[in-house]
Amino acid sequence: MYRTNTCGELTLVNAGQTVTLAGWLQKSRDLGGLTFIDLRDRYGITQLTFNMDVNAALCEQARKLGREFVLQITGTVCERSSKNLKMPTGEIEIDVTDLKVLNAANTPPFTIEDETDGGDELRMKYRYLDIRRNPVKEKLMLRHEMMKYTRSFMDAENFVEVETPVLIKSTPEGARDFIVPSRLNPGQFYALPQSPQTFKQLLMVAGMDRYFQMVKCFRDEDLRADRQPEFTQIDCEMSFVEREDILNLFENLVRHLFKKVKGVDIPTMMRMQYADAIRYYGCDKPDLRFDMKFVELKSATNDIVSGAGFGVFDNAELVLAINAKNAALYTRKQLDELTEWVKDPRRGMSGLIYARVEADGTVKSSVDKFYDQEKLQAWAKACDASAGDLILILCGGTDKTRKAMGDLRLEMGNRFELRDPNTYICLWVLDFPLLEWNEDDKRWYAMHHPFTSPVPEHLDMLNTNPGAVNANAYDMVINGVEVGGGSIRIHDRTLQSKLFEVLGFTADEAKEQFGFLLNAFEFGAPPHGGIAFGFDRLCSLFGGSESIRDYIAFPKNNSGRDVMIDAPGPVASKELDIVGIKLNNI
Amino acid sequence: MYRTNTCGELTLVNAGQTVTLAGWLQKSRDLGGLTFIDLRDRYGITQLTFNMDVNAALCEQARKLGREFVLQITGTVCERSSKNLKMPTGEIEIDVTDLKVLNAANTPPFTIEDETDGGDELRMKYRYLDIRRNPVKEKLMLRHEMMKYTRSFMDAENFVEVETPVLIKSTPEGARDFIVPSRLNPGQFYALPQSPQTFKQLLMVAGMDRYFQMVKCFRDEDLRADRQPEFTQIDCEMSFVEREDILNLFENLVRHLFKKVKGVDIPTMMRMQYADAIRYYGCDKPDLRFDMKFVELKSATNDIVSGAGFGVFDNAELVLAINAKNAALYTRKQLDELTEWVKDPRRGMSGLIYARVEADGTVKSSVDKFYDQEKLQAWAKACDASAGDLILILCGGTDKTRKAMGDLRLEMGNRFELRDPNTYICLWVLDFPLLEWNEDDKRWYAMHHPFTSPVPEHLDMLNTNPGAVNANAYDMVINGVEVGGGSIRIHDRTLQSKLFEVLGFTADEAKEQFGFLLNAFEFGAPPHGGIAFGFDRLCSLFGGSESIRDYIAFPKNNSGRDVMIDAPGPVASKELDIVGIKLNNI
C-alpha cells in the first residue's frame, strides 16, 4: 500500500491522524528552520512540513529534493497556522516523520504550473508533462465526464452501443481515406472509416432499432489549425422515426450534458430554416448569443437605397446593414480600421459604409452627400437604430456580401464582448437544400449523401424543380459552432431510384458505388434516420476552449505528426515487401 | 410518430387500447377466415389478427405480405383466445384496423429464426439479416451490457477513460503491425496500435493516476479460428499500487460484471503459482471447474514406477497420472480410441497406460505383467483412486508430457461433462518467469516486455540467477480461458538499467528501441502497474459461446476479409501514388 489517502482529501476532520501520501514535488520552500513542500497528485495538493528542530536529518533530506521528484511520505495531519481557504486541503499540513524518494526527476523543460512558461511545441513534445498541469488534466477529465453522461443517457433511451469495424473498404467519394495494405490479401487495401455511416444504416436494416457509438473516425485531409486526422464522433441512428423524434431526443441529450457536466439549464432549442440562417446571419451556423440580425436595405424584394445617385448601392445586388448597438462613439480611426478589415481578401468587400445615430436622433453617415436626413432616418428605422447606435453597411453580390457581413457581425460581437463564453444558445438549423448544381458537370450532386431523404412535402418537386427540394436534414449549432448534424435517410426503393435518376446514376453505377447497402435495402429496410456529433468539438465547447486539440490526450500537429512519439516514421523495406508495397521513389 | 409501442411490451393491461406498431413480418398463417401475422422488432413479437368477416379488403392485403416485409399497423389490443404464456405478449393480439407496408422485402436467403437454415458463409455475407435473429442480436446486446457495467465500475473507482491515438508509430518488436502510409509525410508510415501499452504508461508519468479505456487494437497475424485482426481490450493502468491492489480491484471488476450481467456471485478468486499451474494442470490457464490434478508417479523428486522392468517408465523423465473418477466402466474400445487420441501428432505421446480400480478394490492395468497388485495399489493410493475409478497415465519428456496430459485432462473433462458452462471458476495465475533463455542467440529475452518488474523478493537474483527470477505479472483465468493479464512495471531507473543489461542491451540500443518512454521515465515516473482484458473473449465467456466472432457485429473471416462489404479491396494506382507507394508486382 503506497498511500492511505490522496493529496486532495485531507481536512481538519483528519487532524491527528497518521497518513501516508504519495505524489510529485510541486514546489518547496526552505525557511531555514522549516522546509515546506507542496505534494501534488491528480486529486490535489497537500502541504508537507519538515522541522530542523524535530528531525534535522529528514529536513536536510527534504531540502535536497528537486521539482517533480516522486515522493512517499508518512506523517501526522496538523492544523496549519496560516490557512489557505482557497484549496480543500488548505487548513492542514502534514508533519512528516518518514520520507522515501520513489523516483528522482530531471528538471522539467517547462514549469508544471497553471500558467506555464513552455511554448506549444515544447509542451506537445513533452505532452506527458503538460498533462500534469491542472488546465490540461481538467480538460481530459471533462472529456471523460462527457463520455460518461452521453453513454448513460443513450443507454437509458434504449440505444445499444455497437462497435463497427475500423478496417473497412475504401470508397471513391467523400474526403480522402487512410488506406492499410493487407498482407493476407496482397495488392488489396483496407480503409479507415471516415464515419460508420453505412454500418449504422445496416444496423437499422438488422433491426437494432437504436444504435449509438462513441467512435474514432479518420480523414486524410490537409490539416487546418483545428482539424485532426483522427477524431471522435457520437454516432447515432434510429429506426421508425421522423425528424421530430430525432430532434427531440438529441436536443435532450445535449441538455442532459449541459445539466450534468456544467450545471446549466438549456431551454427548448430554437429552430431556424437554413435559408433564414443564410439570409439573416450569412452562414449556416449562426451565433445567436447576440442579435445584430442582417437588415436588407436592398434586395430582390425591397430597396430603400437605390436611385439617390450613389452608384455603389445602385449597382449592388444586395445591400446589408447591421446595427451595432451603442457603438456610435466608435472613432474615425476604429472605423477606418474596420474598413480595412472588410477589405481584407478574406472578406473581399470594396468598402464599408456606416451611419451613426447621434444623441439628438439625427443620423450622420459616410454617404451624407447622397442621402438626406429623411432617407437616413428610414435606414435607422429599418435597422431599429436609436441614439448611440452605429449602422454598418456592406454591399455587392448576394453570396459574397452575406458571407462578409456574417464575418463582420461576429467581429463586432467579439469587439463588444457580446459572445459571452458562459452563455449557451443552442439552435437547430433545418431544411438544407437536398441537391447542389454543378455547372462544370451540368448535373446535380447530393449535398450530404445520396441516401438523405427529401422533406416529405417536397417529394413532388424532385422531377419538376430539384434545386428547390429541401433535405430532411438538420444541424445542431451552439454559439456559432456546428456540433452535430444528420438526416432522415431514404428507405423506400422507389424514392431511392428516383433520386439516383435525378443524380444521373444508372442502376449499374448506383450498384457499383453503393452495392452492399442497396442490396441490404432489398431485404426490408425500416424508415430510419440519425445524427453524429463531433465529440472533440463538443468537449471544447463545453470546456470553453477554441481548440479541439486541447481535448485530445495525444494530438497531432498540422502536419499530421505526433511530435512526442515522432510518428509517422520510416518502415524497413522488408516490412513493406511483406505487405506487397514499395515506396514510389525507389 | 411511427409507433405508440414496441412489439415487446403489450400485455392484458393494455387490452382495449388503440395502438400503432411497426416491425418486420416474422411469419403469417392464413386460416381462411382469419389471418395471423407475427410482427417482430428488437423488443419482441406481437400477434396481429385480420378477419375476413370484419374487413375483407384488409385481410386480403395482409395475406399477400411476404416474410420480412416492414409494416406499420394500427389496431386494438385484445385478449387472445389461445394464449402463449412463454412470451411476454402472449396473452394479447392486435385486431388490425389499418395496415401500411413501409417497405417490401425480397425473400431472405436464410430463415430469420433462432435455429436458421443458413450456413456460416451465407450468414456472414448477409450479416445484417443474421443480426435480426435473436441469438445474434442478444450477443450484441450482452456486449453492450458488458461495456456499460465495466465503465460504470471503473468510473466509480475513479478511473478516467482516456482515448489514446490509433495512428501511432511502428515498432520492430512484438507481433506484426498494420501500417498506414502518410500522404503528408511521404515515405513514412503510421502503425495501428497492438495495444496502448506505452501511452498508458505515459499517462501514469502524466499523473493521470487511474486510466482505463475500452479500445480497439490491431494485430496483423495469420488468423486462426478465434483471432480477429481488430479486437477490443479493456485497458487499465494505475499509479502508486502494488500487485495486491491491482488483483483486488480487478477481481472486483469481474465479480461486478458477473453479478450485474449474469446475476452470478463469484467468491474471492483462487490464486495459483505459474509453476504449479504447469506442474499440476499442464498449462498456464487451468480449467478448475473439475479436479483431476496431475499425480507425478515419477519425477525429479519422486518415483514409484521405475525398476519394475517396464522400460517405457524406466526411461521416462516424467510419468503423470490423472484419476478419472467413476470411469472404470470405460470399454476397451473407448480406451483404444483414447490411446489413438493421445498418439495424434497434436499430442505426440507414444501411448496411453491405464489402471482401473475394480469394484472389489483390486487394480487392473494395461501393464500388469510389470507391476504386482501391491505396486498398483500404491498408484491408486497416490491418485486417491477408489472402486470405479480409472487412472490414465502418460510419460516422456517433462514439457511434452505435461502439455499432453493437460490436453487429455480437458478431453476427459469434456467427455464426462465436467466443464459445466454455467459454473465459473476464476483464478489468478501469478509469478510467471521474467525471462526466457534463447539458445540460438544465447541471451535472455523478456517474457512479456522489458518494463515488466521482477517480484521484489527476487531482485537480488537478477545478477546471479536471472532464469529463476519471477515477473510481478498476473493472468486472470476463467474456466480455462485467459481473459486478462498484466504486470507491475519497472519505474526505477537503476532497476531498468540493470534489466536492460541482463537483456544484453547497450544504453544506446535501449534508447533507440524505447526512446520516448525512457525519456519520459527521466521526469518522475510513479510506481505503476496495469492489466488488459480481452473484451471479445470476456463477452464470449459470459455469453457461453466458444467463438469470439459471434460477439463482434461485423467480424472478419480467417483471411481477414469482411465478406459482407467485400473488404479489403483494390485501390486505384493514382490513389496509391498520392500516398507515395506502389504495388510490388507492378
Side-chain angles (χ1 to χ4, degrees):
Chain A
M1 175 102 75
Y2 272 98
R3 58 187 174 194
T4 57
N5 295 83
T6 72
C7 296
E9 65 185 343
L10 295 170
T11 64
L12 276 181
V13 173
N14 308 95
Q17 292 177 6
T18 299
V19 297
T20 300
L21 303 181
W24 286 263
L25 189 154
Q26 175 74 30
K27 67 177 177 205
S28 69
R29 278 160 296 149
D30 183 354
L31 306 182
L34 278 176
T35 290
F36 294 100
I37 285 179
D38 279 355
L39 191 70
R40 184 197 72 234
D41 66 11
R42 183 182 115 196
Y43 311 93
I45 284 177
T46 297
Q47 179 168 295
L48 315 177
T49 59
F50 300 84
N51 192 324
M52 275 306 263
D53 295 340
V54 177
N55 188 336
L58 194 69
C59 197
E60 285 294 354
Q61 192 193 349
R63 283 174 169 179
K64 293 193 193 111
L65 303 173
R67 278 197 289 136
E68 301 304 316
F69 272 46
V70 187
L71 309 179
Q72 182 186 38
I73 62 95
T74 297
T76 311
V77 181
C78 301
E79 184 169 0
R80 269 203 220 179
S81 51
S82 121
K83 296 192 174 57
N84 176 353
L85 297 179
K86 285 187 197 145
M87 50 192 287
T89 62
E91 295 189 275
I92 60 100
E93 60 191 7
I94 313 293
D95 267 357
V96 177
T97 52
D98 265 309
L99 166 66
K100 188 176 174 192
V101 176
L102 296 175
N103 220 339
N106 292 346
T107 306
F110 50 85
T111 55
I112 311 296
E113 304 276 356
D114 290 5
E115 297 291 332
T116 182
D117 56 357
D120 267 9
E121 278 285 311
L122 198 63
R123 289 191 290 114
M124 278 300 154
K125 183 168 176 196
Y126 295 94
R127 182 70 168 169
Y128 47 86
L129 298 180
D130 205 26
I131 295 173
R132 286 186 191 167
R133 297 171 53 237
N134 281 324
V136 183
K137 177 190 78 183
E138 281 161 10
K139 287 182 176 67
L140 297 183
M141 296 186 65
L142 174 91
R143 188 181 175 106
H144 169 72
E145 293 278 293
M146 298 279 290
M147 291 176 77
K148 178 173 89 171
Y149 288 116
T150 299
R151 286 197 163 98
S152 61
F153 179 90
M154 298 304 284
D155 180 71
E157 291 285 349
N158 260 324
F159 283 75
V160 180
E161 185 158 13
V162 179
E163 291 166 79
T164 53
V166 176
L167 296 170
I168 66 165
K169 191 180 184 172
S170 190
T171 49
E173 354 83 64
R176 191 177 302 285
D177 288 323
F178 283 103
I179 57 171
V180 183
S182 167
R183 183 176 55 89
L184 295 176
N185 302 272
Q188 300 193 13
F189 294 80
Y190 300 102
L192 305 183
Q194 296 181 30
S195 92
Q197 182 67 32
T198 30
F199 289 99
K200 70 177 174 175
Q201 292 195 244
L202 288 173
L203 284 169
M204 294 304 101
V205 177
M208 201 39 81
D209 205 71
R210 295 183 159 205
Y211 144 90
F212 87 107
Q213 189 184 188
M214 304 201 67
V215 58
K216 274 277 176 79
C217 301
F218 306 86
R219 261 172 227 178
D220 186 10
E221 293 175 309
D222 293 318
L223 302 171
R224 297 194 307 238
D226 215 19
R227 285 257 182 90
Q228 287 281 318
E230 53 179 299
F231 54 96
T232 303
Q233 273 185 196
I234 309 173
D235 192 52
C236 311
E237 196 80 4
M238 304 170 75
S239 291
F240 301 116
V241 289
E242 290 157 350
R243 183 175 80 181
E244 200 57 31
D245 302 306
I246 294 190
L247 298 189
N248 288 332
L249 196 139
F250 289 98
E251 172 165 339
N252 283 339
L253 165 64
V254 171
R255 291 161 72 188
H256 171 82
L257 289 177
F258 270 109
K259 185 70 185 169
K260 288 288 187 180
V261 176
K262 297 192 71 72
V264 170
D265 286 301
I266 299 288
T268 304
M269 291 188 189
M270 301 171 68
R271 297 183 182 193
M272 189 182 287
Q273 297 284 307
Y274 168 85
D276 287 341
I278 298 294
R279 183 172 180 189
Y280 296 119
Y281 301 96
C283 69
D284 59 1
K285 44 184 182 183
D287 183 348
L288 297 187
R289 280 175 295 181
F290 64 110
D291 192 16
M292 226 183 270
K293 196 170 162 181
F294 298 177
V295 176
E296 295 179 344
L297 301 183
K298 174 180 177 181
S299 71
T301 55
N302 176 45
D303 187 354
I304 60 169
V305 294
S306 294
F310 183 44
V312 174
F313 282 176
D314 288 350
N315 299 324
E317 194 178 12
L318 185 71
V319 179
L320 289 181
I322 53 173
N323 176 3
K325 302 294 281 181
N326 305 313
L329 292 178
Y330 238 45
T331 63
R332 180 71 204 210
K333 194 177 154 217
Q334 285 173 305
L335 286 164
D336 286 349
E337 191 217 328
L338 215 51
T339 304
E340 288 313 306
W341 192 90
V342 300
K343 287 163 85 174
D344 181 289
R346 278 170 290 179
R347 267 70 63 176
M349 293 287 98
S350 54
L352 173 71
I353 288 151
Y354 65 86
R356 67 161 66 95
V357 187
E358 308 286 353
D360 64 1
T362 59
V363 177
K364 196 163 163 35
S365 96
S366 51
V367 286
D368 278 355
K369 60 177 164 180
F370 300 106
Y371 297 95
D372 59 22
Q373 190 59 217
E374 189 188 347
K375 289 214 167 86
L376 293 176
Q377 288 293 337
W379 296 8
K381 185 158 177 259
C383 295
D384 198 20
S386 50
D389 292 353
L390 176 68
I391 297 168
L392 298 172
I393 303 170
L394 294 176
C395 66
T398 299
D399 293 351
K400 199 170 172 184
T401 306
R402 280 177 173 161
K403 177 156 187 329
M405 188 56 108
D407 289 351
L408 179 60
R409 176 180 175 272
L410 293 178
E411 177 67 15
M412 296 308 289
N414 287 339
R415 291 188 183 202
F416 286 85
E417 295 180 354
L418 302 172
R419 307 177 72 182
D420 175 8
N422 296 313
T423 299
Y424 300 93
I425 305 292
C426 307
L427 168 75
W428 285 111
V429 178
L430 304 174
D431 294 334
F432 289 76
L434 181 70
L435 303 164
E436 44 192 0
W437 180 255
N438 185 305
E439 197 53 42
D440 297 337
D441 302 7
K442 305 278 180 210
R443 57 157 278 206
W444 294 104
Y445 278 86
M447 218 170 149
H448 288 81
H449 53 68
F451 300 101
T452 305
S453 177
V455 293
E457 57 273 26
H458 284 185
L459 283 179
D460 291 342
M461 287 199 294
L462 260 183
N463 291 320
T464 56
N465 186 9
V469 174
N470 284 341
N472 209 344
Y474 30 80
D475 275 1
M476 188 187 287
V477 173
I478 305 179
N479 293 1
V481 176
E482 183 208 321
V483 296
S487 66
I488 297 294
R489 328 298 181 186
I490 297 174
H491 68 280
D492 178 83
R493 296 191 280 186
T494 319
L495 177 57
Q496 187 68 63
S497 300
K498 185 182 281 183
L499 197 75
F500 278 129
E501 196 186 306
V502 172
L503 291 170
F505 282 78
T506 65
D508 280 352
E509 283 165 348
K511 198 114 203 162
E512 196 186 310
Q513 273 205 47
F514 307 102
F516 66 92
L517 188 55
L518 286 178
N519 204 24
F521 280 6
E522 300 288 314
F523 291 99
H528 62 291
I531 194 167
F533 291 90
F535 185 63
D536 310 289
R537 167 113 20 245
L538 199 62
C539 288
S540 76
L541 186 93
F542 272 65
S545 168
E546 294 281 305
S547 168
I548 63 169
R549 201 175 289 182
D550 295 351
Y551 293 83
I552 296 171
F554 300 103
K556 295 190 173 57
N557 72 10
N558 285 356
S559 316
R561 294 200 72 79
D562 182 328
V563 296
M564 181 187 72
I565 64 171
D566 197 23
V571 165
S573 63
K574 75 172 186 333
E575 296 297 321
L576 299 184
D577 203 46
I578 286 169
V579 295
I581 61 170
K582 55 190 167 191
L583 295 181
N584 257 348
N585 54 5
I586 294 173
Chain B
M1 174 103 75
Y2 272 99
R3 58 188 174 194
T4 57
N5 296 81
T6 71
C7 296
E9 63 185 345
L10 295 170
T11 63
L12 276 182
V13 173
N14 308 94
Q17 292 176 5
T18 299
V19 297
T20 301
L21 303 181
W24 286 263
L25 189 154
Q26 174 75 30
K27 67 178 177 205
S28 69
R29 279 158 296 148
D30 182 355
L31 306 182
L34 278 177
T35 292
F36 294 101
I37 286 179
D38 281 354
L39 191 69
R40 183 197 73 234
D41 66 11
R42 182 183 115 197
Y43 311 93
I45 284 176
T46 297
Q47 179 168 297
L48 314 177
T49 58
F50 299 83
N51 192 323
M52 275 306 262
D53 296 339
V54 178
N55 188 335
L58 195 69
C59 197
E60 285 294 353
Q61 193 193 351
R63 282 174 169 179
K64 293 191 191 114
L65 304 172
R67 276 197 291 135
E68 300 305 317
F69 272 46
V70 187
L71 309 179
Q72 182 186 36
I73 62 95
T74 298
T76 311
V77 181
C78 301
E79 184 168 359
R80 269 202 222 180
S81 51
S82 120
K83 297 191 174 57
N84 177 350
L85 297 179
K86 284 186 197 149
M87 51 194 285
T89 62
E91 294 189 275
I92 59 99
E93 61 193 4
I94 313 293
D95 267 357
V96 177
T97 53
D98 265 309
L99 165 66
K100 188 174 172 192
V101 176
L102 297 176
N103 221 338
N106 292 346
T107 305
F110 50 85
T111 54
I112 311 297
E113 303 276 356
D114 290 5
E115 297 290 334
T116 182
D117 56 355
D120 267 8
E121 279 284 312
L122 199 61
R123 289 190 293 113
M124 279 300 154
K125 184 169 176 198
Y126 295 92
R127 182 70 168 170
Y128 48 85
L129 297 180
D130 205 26
I131 295 174
R132 286 187 191 167
R133 297 171 52 238
N134 281 323
V136 182
K137 177 190 76 183
E138 281 160 9
K139 286 182 175 67
L140 297 182
M141 295 187 64
L142 174 91
R143 187 179 176 106
H144 168 74
E145 294 277 294
M146 298 280 288
M147 292 176 80
K148 178 173 87 171
Y149 288 117
T150 299
R151 287 197 163 99
S152 60
F153 180 90
M154 299 304 282
D155 180 72
E157 291 285 350
N158 261 324
F159 283 76
V160 180
E161 183 158 14
V162 179
E163 292 166 78
T164 54
V166 176
L167 296 170
I168 64 164
K169 192 178 182 171
S170 190
T171 49
E173 354 83 65
R176 190 176 303 283
D177 289 322
F178 283 103
I179 57 171
V180 183
S182 167
R183 182 176 55 89
L184 295 176
N185 302 273
Q188 299 194 13
F189 294 80
Y190 300 102
L192 305 183
Q194 296 180 31
S195 92
Q197 182 68 30
T198 31
F199 289 97
K200 69 177 175 174
Q201 291 195 243
L202 288 173
L203 284 170
M204 295 304 102
V205 176
M208 201 39 80
D209 205 75
R210 294 183 160 205
Y211 144 90
F212 87 107
Q213 188 183 189
M214 305 202 67
V215 59
K216 274 277 175 77
C217 301
F218 305 87
R219 260 172 227 177
D220 185 12
E221 294 177 309
D222 292 319
L223 302 171
R224 297 194 306 238
D226 216 16
R227 285 254 183 94
Q228 288 280 317
E230 52 180 300
F231 55 95
T232 302
Q233 271 185 199
I234 309 172
D235 193 53
C236 312
E237 197 81 4
M238 304 169 76
S239 291
F240 301 116
V241 288
E242 289 158 349
R243 183 175 81 182
E244 198 59 30
D245 301 306
I246 294 189
L247 298 188
N248 287 333
L249 196 139
F250 289 98
E251 171 164 340
N252 284 340
L253 165 64
V254 171
R255 290 160 74 187
H256 171 81
L257 288 176
F258 269 110
K259 186 69 185 172
K260 288 288 187 180
V261 177
K262 299 191 69 75
V264 170
D265 287 301
I266 299 289
T268 303
M269 292 188 188
M270 303 172 69
R271 297 182 182 194
M272 189 182 287
Q273 296 285 304
Y274 168 85
D276 286 342
I278 298 294
R279 183 174 181 188
Y280 295 119
Y281 301 95
C283 68
D284 59 1
K285 45 184 180 182
D287 184 348
L288 297 186
R289 280 176 295 181
F290 65 109
D291 192 15
M292 227 184 267
K293 195 170 163 179
F294 298 177
V295 175
E296 295 179 343
L297 300 183
K298 174 180 177 180
S299 70
T301 55
N302 176 45
D303 188 354
I304 60 170
V305 294
S306 293
F310 183 45
V312 174
F313 281 176
D314 289 349
N315 298 324
E317 192 178 14
L318 185 71
V319 179
L320 289 180
I322 52 174
N323 177 2
K325 303 292 286 181
N326 305 313
L329 291 178
Y330 239 46
T331 63
R332 180 69 203 210
K333 190 174 159 222
Q334 286 172 304
L335 286 165
D336 285 349
E337 191 216 329
L338 215 50
T339 304
E340 288 313 306
W341 191 90
V342 302
K343 287 164 85 173
D344 181 289
R346 278 169 291 178
R347 266 70 63 177
M349 293 286 100
S350 55
L352 172 70
I353 288 151
Y354 64 87
R356 67 159 66 93
V357 187
E358 307 285 356
D360 64 1
T362 58
V363 177
K364 193 159 166 40
S365 98
S366 51
V367 287
D368 277 355
K369 59 178 165 177
F370 300 107
Y371 298 95
D372 59 23
Q373 190 59 216
E374 187 187 350
K375 290 218 167 80
L376 292 176
Q377 287 295 337
W379 297 7
K381 183 154 178 265
C383 295
D384 196 20
S386 50
D389 293 350
L390 176 68
I391 297 168
L392 298 172
I393 303 170
L394 295 177
C395 67
T398 299
D399 293 350
K400 197 171 173 181
T401 306
R402 281 177 173 163
K403 172 148 193 336
M405 187 57 107
D407 290 350
L408 179 60
R409 175 179 175 273
L410 292 179
E411 176 68 16
M412 296 308 288
N414 287 341
R415 291 188 183 203
F416 284 86
E417 296 180 354
L418 303 173
R419 307 177 73 180
D420 175 7
N422 296 313
T423 299
Y424 300 93
I425 305 293
C426 306
L427 168 75
W428 286 110
V429 178
L430 304 174
D431 294 335
F432 290 75
L434 181 70
L435 303 163
E436 43 190 3
W437 180 254
N438 184 305
E439 198 52 42
D440 297 338
D441 302 4
K442 304 278 181 211
R443 56 158 279 205
W444 294 104
Y445 277 87
M447 217 169 151
H448 289 81
H449 53 68
F451 300 99
T452 304
S453 177
V455 294
E457 57 273 26
H458 284 186
L459 284 180
D460 292 342
M461 286 199 296
L462 261 182
N463 291 319
T464 56
N465 187 8
V469 174
N470 283 341
N472 209 344
Y474 30 82
D475 274 0
M476 188 187 286
V477 173
I478 305 179
N479 292 0
V481 175
E482 182 208 323
V483 296
S487 67
I488 297 294
R489 328 298 180 185
I490 298 174
H491 69 280
D492 179 83
R493 295 190 282 186
T494 319
L495 177 57
Q496 187 67 64
S497 300
K498 185 182 279 183
L499 197 75
F500 277 131
E501 195 187 305
V502 172
L503 291 170
F505 281 78
T506 65
D508 280 350
E509 283 166 347
K511 198 116 202 157
E512 195 186 309
Q513 273 203 49
F514 306 103
F516 65 93
L517 188 55
L518 286 178
N519 204 23
F521 280 5
E522 300 288 315
F523 291 98
H528 62 288
I531 193 167
F533 290 90
F535 185 62
D536 309 290
R537 166 111 24 245
L538 198 62
C539 288
S540 78
L541 186 94
F542 271 65
S545 167
E546 294 281 307
S547 167
I548 63 168
R549 198 173 292 183
D550 295 350
Y551 293 83
I552 296 172
F554 300 103
K556 296 190 172 55
N557 73 9
N558 285 355
S559 316
R561 294 201 72 79
D562 181 328
V563 296
M564 181 187 71
I565 64 171
D566 196 24
V571 165
S573 63
K574 74 173 188 327
E575 296 297 322
L576 299 183
D577 202 47
I578 285 169
V579 297
I581 61 169
K582 54 191 168 190
L583 295 181
N584 257 348
N585 54 5
I586 294 174

